[in-house]
Amino acid sequence: MTGTFTRGLLAGAAGTTALNAASWLDMAVRGRSASDLPARTTDALADAAGWSIPGRGSERESRRTALGALTGIANGLALGVVSSAVRSAGVRLSFPVGAVVKGAASSAATNLPVAALGVSDPRSWSRQDWLSDALPHLAYGATVQAVVSGLPTPRERALPRQKARAGLVGRSLLLGVAAGGRSSLGVAAPTLTAQDTGVVKKLASLAAVAGEVYGDKQPGVPARTSPQVLPGRLVSGAGGGALLARRAGANAALPSTAGALGALAGSYGGLAWRRWAGSFMPDWQAAVVEDAAAVLLSLTACLPGRRRSTRVTRVYYPPRA
């Protein structure tokens, strides 16, 4: 049996091979030329880092091509490891859904930097351009999904696989909303309320919450909906849903999705509250109200089932109704 990291590397390597094979097959069938986006992205990354690719003429072009290909391989391996870790966290997706989700993540990992660096604007791409991009990434997603689901780790074999109930999904949504207000609560609240959590983890969680509560009221804090902040809140909400699902011994796919959606709603809702409340009270008072609301939501989400373990090594089998 393989561990999470090793399985992720295998999945990423197989997925990258499938992506490259699909790209070359498309070139063979349609007779199109190879994309220069990887090399152009390498140029943009080098410029952003203040580094110049050495060499001239064909020598420099070879390095640009090689660095672009290596960047793609690194992306593929990294996403494979992430996919394996998500699977180990209890998120089990059906093959069609998992293939699409992982393919979309692979496409985003490639195209978002392209857009952010100004290399190309995906909104201007033609239908054929999108087709040439989507099919190889879908091949990547399908291959990675097949590997991570076909090679369960020893811990995964011991975990129960019951479906998440509506109450669990609803509590995950509430926890996500709390994480949208205070991102540390997504993981800290399940950790603090679980009775089998060690003292060190609880102190670290308290410190994270306290630090965010203090920092939120300082000037110059980036907006929670900004590109550099929002993804962390979504991950926190999804992680909180996965922890609640682990307590219940349930598939974490729906709870983690609900947590992420709740975090999205909580982020924009909290920002709207602060802007609206700022018209008739000091911002710090509006922030304290938001603190209280986020803590209340997280307690409502996490206190039920708090006696159940959040550790992977222990399995909770809920009584049958």
Side-chain angles (χ1 to χ4, degrees):
M1 296 183 187
T2 56
T4 298
F5 183 73
T6 302
R7 179 180 63 181
L9 289 179
L10 291 173
T16 302
T17 301
L19 184 151
N20 290 335
S23 297
W24 288 109
L25 180 62
D26 179 47
M27 292 169 60
V29 171
R30 294 171 50 202
R32 68 172 179 85
S33 59
S35 173
D36 64 345
L37 274 180
R40 289 163 56 195
T41 304
T42 299
D43 289 336
L45 288 171
D47 290 341
W51 177 66
S52 178
I53 300 175
R56 293 182 180 181
S58 60
E59 181 181 335
R60 185 176 184 276
E61 288 301 312
S62 297
R63 287 197 174 101
R64 290 176 68 241
T65 302
L67 289 172
L70 289 172
T71 300
I73 293 173
N75 262 346
L77 293 176
L79 284 174
V81 172
V82 171
S83 298
S84 181
V86 170
R87 179 83 178 185
S88 293
V91 179
R92 298 182 177 91
L93 302 174
S94 64
F95 182 82
V97 174
V100 171
V101 168
K102 291 172 176 62
S106 174
S107 179
T110 302
N111 295 331
L112 289 180
V114 165
L117 293 168
V119 176
S120 179
D121 186 356
R123 294 174 298 181
S124 66
W125 291 359
S126 67
R127 181 179 178 181
Q128 287 296 329
D129 291 336
W130 275 111
L131 191 62
S132 297
D133 179 82
L135 291 180
H137 285 109
L138 183 59
Y140 173 90
T143 304
V144 171
Q145 176 65 20
V147 173
V148 297
S149 60
L151 294 175
T153 64
R155 289 180 177 179
E156 289 171 12
R157 289 183 180 275
L159 290 176
R161 298 189 179 188
Q162 70 173 20
K163 293 182 179 180
R165 296 182 178 179
L168 171 61
V169 176
R171 290 191 292 110
S172 299
L173 183 68
L174 289 180
L175 181 57
V177 174
R182 298 292 175 266
S183 60
S184 55
L185 287 173
V187 175
T191 302
L192 290 168
T193 55
Q195 293 190 351
D196 63 343
T197 303
V199 175
V200 174
K201 287 185 177 181
K202 288 193 174 184
L203 289 176
S205 297
L206 280 173
V209 174
E212 184 178 11
V213 167
Y214 172 78
D216 176 73
K217 299 167 183 61
Q218 305 308 306
V221 177
R224 68 190 71 189
T225 56
S226 62
Q228 63 267 36
V229 175
L230 183 59
R233 293 178 183 268
L234 300 182
V235 170
S236 177
L243 287 175
L244 293 182
R246 183 181 294 173
R247 286 183 181 181
N251 187 340
L254 285 179
S256 60
T257 301
L261 291 175
L264 183 65
S267 296
Y268 280 94
L271 180 62
W273 156 255
R274 295 285 284 271
R275 288 176 175 173
W276 177 75
S279 62
F280 57 86
M281 70 172 65
D283 183 67
W284 71 268
Q285 292 182 4
V288 170
V289 173
E290 188 182 14
D291 291 336
V295 170
L296 180 61
L297 286 173
S298 64
L299 291 176
T300 302
C302 296
L303 286 179
R306 62 189 180 278
R307 292 183 177 86
R308 300 171 185 171
S309 175
T310 56
R311 297 176 183 173
V312 178
T313 52
R314 290 174 56 186
V315 181
Y316 173 76
Y317 292 92
R320 296 184 179 273

